[in-house]
Amino acid sequence: MYNSVQHYKDALFKSDWKSGLSVFLVALPLCLGIALASGAPLFSGILAGIVAGTFVALLSGSEISVSGPAAGLTVIVATAIHDLGSFQGFLVAVVLAGVIQLVLGLIKAGKFSAYFPESVIRGMLVAIGIVIILKQIPHALGDDQDYEGEFEFEQVADHQNTITELIRSVVDFNYGAITIAIVCLAVILLWERAAKKNKGIFAMIPAALVTVLVGILMNEAYRIYQPFYYLGNSPIHMVNIPKMSGVSDFVSAFSFPDFSALMTTKVYIVAFTLAIVASLETLLNLEASDAIDPLKRQSSPDKELVAQGIGNVISGLIGGLPITSVVVRTSANVYSGARTRMSSFVHGMLLLGSVLLIPNLLNKIPLSSLAAVLLTVGYKLAHPKVFVKVFKEGYDQWIPFVVTILVIVFKDLLFGIFIGTAVGLIFVLFTNFHSAVSFVREGKNVLIQFNKDVSFLNKPKIKQILLSLEDGDVVYIDATKAQFIDHDIYNLLYEFKSVAYRRNIEVDFKKVSRKIQGDINQYLPESISAH
């Protein structure tokens, strides 16, 4: 039975453990990088990832969405920590933000996500893919001066932007990193191709795991035979997990909220900002995850907001960063073969186990090998076939799609979504404006037909049609397909009818119910309604 314990168990052992491992390898450096970018303790990023992968995964409204600390919140978090004076004070805002999200979920505010056009959601997915590629190329080339997990065009850390960083990386590449990235990219592509054909070991072992192991082995070979190319000579080229000797060290690394911050107004402003931005990003990512779900399931946005709220309360109470649903991890999850929430749960448990048991091994992973994994995810999101498909659907889909991509790539995610949605709305209004009213002439007979609901936006076109009528015309106005006709349109039609006799124009309202005519009469001047 779907969603039964047996169903989850079968999915876990068949595919979800492999996708969970792949997501873990992608999420690990992102958790650390986002914490670094936020000016928070590195361990806070790992804690947020663990909470997201366990509590949020089990409570989520989606089977495939993966949550964690989000790049889109880094500027807000960094500013908030500074304004509130301490990380402990900021944790209070995270807890309050979680409570607000919980309330939003309970009052069914998740329906807001349905108002974003499909062209914008598809544009967001493609844009994220392009951004992943652009941001991972420097890591593949060994330029690791900037942190993992930064997705805005303007880079706060080094005052570069995406384009200037690419140029710098190409000019001054690291031979050891680029060879590891190229070999790892070849390994993952060949491994995935063989896995699709269901060839023995290739189908059993995740391609991402093999890729990372190849990266570790190549780098260790450099250490022995070509020390100059060994990436471990500089820690910025490697995964860098804080080392824990056991559970006691793990617990001692927790930070706890300073609830005296509740006495300041700023903490409530920060909490509200975090709750709104994190909720919006989560709802958008939830729409995107449904779009790429191979099983085409529909997620519950209200249930997701409740899950995110509980997750942020827990994360804030133990010293973690704020959590949202994240497209990068979700995409890696889907393209690694995930079927249920067990995949995200596995990734959370692996994050927990890794910091307790194998930090030394994980710190041997070169970022260039992880870049190869993310480059393949980026390419799958921004596949050329998507551009062709949307282009064939027409300009009203293509233009919002392209605008969304350009603004996200050259600005940031939320701004791109808002601009793309605004452009999409303009096209909706434009399309309705031109298709709502049709005009046909046969000799002196004229048919004006309302093909759908008409509003004041259609008034200029209707006015133009009425002005174009000739003396002696017989005009039929058919409103049978319109369930709603704006008051302004009624006024315009009846005022025209009241004076049409002066030009010997006969006007007949076809199939307009007496009720509608009666309703409009109460709004019209007596001289018109009685005519």
Side-chain angles (χ1 to χ4, degrees):
M1 181 179 174
Y2 186 67
N3 282 356
S4 66
V5 174
Q6 187 61 43
H7 168 74
Y8 286 120
K9 185 187 294 186
D10 292 343
L12 174 63
F13 290 110
K14 184 176 180 180
S15 61
D16 285 352
W17 74 270
K18 292 186 286 186
S19 50
L21 179 57
S22 298
V23 176
F24 157 69
L25 293 171
V26 168
L28 181 64
L30 293 180
C31 289
L32 296 168
I34 291 166
L36 180 65
S38 303
L42 286 181
F43 195 59
S44 66
I46 298 290
L47 277 176
I50 293 170
V51 171
T54 50
F55 293 98
V56 177
L58 295 178
L59 298 171
S60 176
S62 169
E63 290 293 333
I64 57 168
S65 173
V66 182
S67 299
L73 296 178
T74 52
V75 175
I76 296 174
V77 173
T79 304
I81 293 172
H82 177 268
D83 290 346
L84 294 173
S86 69
F87 182 65
Q88 287 72 24
F90 168 73
L91 292 177
V92 177
V94 176
V95 174
L96 291 175
V99 173
I100 294 170
Q101 285 185 297
L102 185 58
V103 172
L104 289 174
L106 293 175
I107 64 173
K108 310 295 183 184
K111 64 176 72 74
F112 180 71
S113 62
Y115 290 98
F116 293 97
E118 185 181 354
S119 59
V120 174
I121 298 300
R122 288 188 290 183
M124 180 184 81
L125 285 167
V126 170
I128 291 293
I130 293 171
V131 171
I132 290 172
I133 292 170
L134 293 176
K135 293 295 187 179
Q136 289 303 316
I137 288 175
H139 291 295
L141 297 174
D143 182 0
D144 300 306
Q145 297 178 48
D146 212 5
Y147 55 83
E148 281 271 5
E150 183 179 59
F151 284 88
E152 285 77 13
F153 182 73
E154 296 291 339
Q155 299 176 174
V156 178
D158 55 8
H159 306 292
Q160 298 277 336
N161 62 48
T162 302
I163 304 302
T164 59
E165 185 185 38
L166 279 173
I167 295 170
R168 182 186 68 191
S169 303
V170 172
V171 171
D172 190 25
F173 67 87
N174 182 302
Y175 179 85
I178 195 172
T179 52
I180 288 175
I182 291 171
V183 171
C184 287
L185 198 56
V187 167
I188 196 169
L189 293 175
L190 293 172
W191 197 277
E192 286 185 346
R193 181 176 297 180
K196 284 180 181 178
K197 296 177 181 178
N198 219 14
K199 291 185 177 180
I201 192 171
F202 296 101
M204 292 174 58
I205 302 177
L209 175 61
V210 177
T211 303
V212 167
L213 291 175
V214 168
I216 293 173
L217 291 173
M218 285 185 67
N219 197 45
E220 289 301 306
Y222 282 142
R223 182 177 63 83
I224 298 170
Y225 301 108
Q226 293 287 342
F228 180 75
Y229 298 127
Y230 176 55
L231 297 177
N233 291 326
S234 175
I236 66 168
H237 298 309
M238 312 294 290
V239 169
N240 188 14
I241 294 181
K243 295 180 181 179
M244 303 282 168
S245 60
V247 175
S248 58
D249 282 355
F250 178 77
V251 175
S252 65
F254 287 8
S255 295
F256 299 102
D258 178 7
F259 286 103
S260 65
L262 289 171
M263 304 303 293
T264 65
T265 306
K266 286 182 180 178
V267 76
Y268 298 99
I269 296 172
V270 171
F272 184 77
T273 304
L274 283 174
I276 297 303
V277 176
S279 298
L280 188 56
E281 191 162 334
T282 289
L283 293 175
L284 289 169
N285 292 336
L286 204 65
E287 289 286 318
S289 67
D290 284 350
I292 60 175
D293 182 0
L295 300 180
K296 300 302 176 186
R297 290 164 289 194
Q298 295 296 311
S299 303
S300 167
D302 299 318
K303 188 176 178 182
E304 184 66 26
L305 285 178
V306 170
Q308 296 289 332
I310 293 172
N312 275 315
V313 169
I314 296 171
S315 185
L317 287 174
I318 63 175
L321 290 176
I323 295 165
T324 75
S325 174
V326 187
V327 172
V328 178
R329 291 169 200 145
T330 302
S331 304
N333 192 36
V334 172
Y335 293 125
S336 298
R339 287 294 178 268
T340 73
R341 65 187 70 234
M342 286 296 98
S343 176
S344 181
F345 183 75
V346 167
H347 122 270
M349 295 305 295
L350 287 173
L351 282 173
L352 175 61
S354 66
V355 295
L356 289 174
L357 304 174
I358 54 169
N360 291 329
L361 176 61
L362 294 175
N363 286 342
K364 292 182 180 294
I365 300 175
L367 293 180
S368 56
S369 65
L370 292 174
V373 176
L374 284 167
L375 284 170
T376 60
V377 172
Y379 177 74
K380 289 171 183 175
L381 283 171
H383 199 285
K385 288 181 180 178
V386 181
F387 288 88
V388 175
K389 185 174 185 286
V390 178
F391 182 76
K392 289 180 178 178
E393 292 176 1
Y395 66 90
D396 58 325
Q397 296 295 308
W398 174 252
I399 293 178
F401 172 78
V402 172
V403 168
T404 302
I405 292 171
L406 292 175
V407 179
I408 290 176
V409 171
F410 292 103
K411 181 63 177 175
D412 60 45
L413 177 66
L414 291 179
F415 194 67
I417 289 292
F418 286 129
I419 297 298
T421 301
V423 172
L425 181 60
I426 290 171
F427 273 94
V428 169
L429 295 175
F430 182 78
T431 301
N432 284 338
F433 175 78
H434 280 275
S435 63
V437 182
S438 60
F439 169 66
V440 180
R441 171 183 287 277
E442 289 186 6
K444 282 295 184 179
N445 293 318
V446 175
L447 172 63
I448 301 173
Q449 187 163 10
F450 296 164
N451 301 310
K452 58 179 73 173
D453 295 349
V454 287
S455 70
F456 68 93
L457 295 171
N458 303 108
K459 188 175 180 180
K461 183 175 182 179
I462 296 172
K463 204 168 188 177
Q464 184 182 13
I465 292 172
L466 296 178
L467 288 173
S468 71
L469 296 175
E470 301 171 359
D471 293 352
D473 280 343
V474 178
V475 182
Y476 301 89
I477 300 177
D478 185 355
T480 53
K481 294 182 180 179
Q483 295 183 1
F484 167 79
I485 300 176
D486 193 284
H487 175 68
D488 286 3
I489 305 300
Y490 274 125
N491 270 346
L492 178 64
L493 295 177
Y494 278 87
E495 285 173 0
F496 174 75
K497 183 176 182 179
S498 70
V499 297
Y501 70 93
R502 297 174 184 171
R503 297 174 55 194
N504 198 29
I505 295 176
E506 183 180 338
V507 181
D508 186 11
F509 294 109
K510 299 295 292 181
K511 298 184 180 179
V512 179
S513 70
R514 290 182 179 179
K515 180 179 184 300
I516 297 177
Q517 291 186 35
D519 287 344
I520 191 60
N521 284 338
Q522 66 180 306
Y523 299 107
L524 297 177
E526 185 177 349
S527 60
I528 297 176
S529 61
H531 192 78

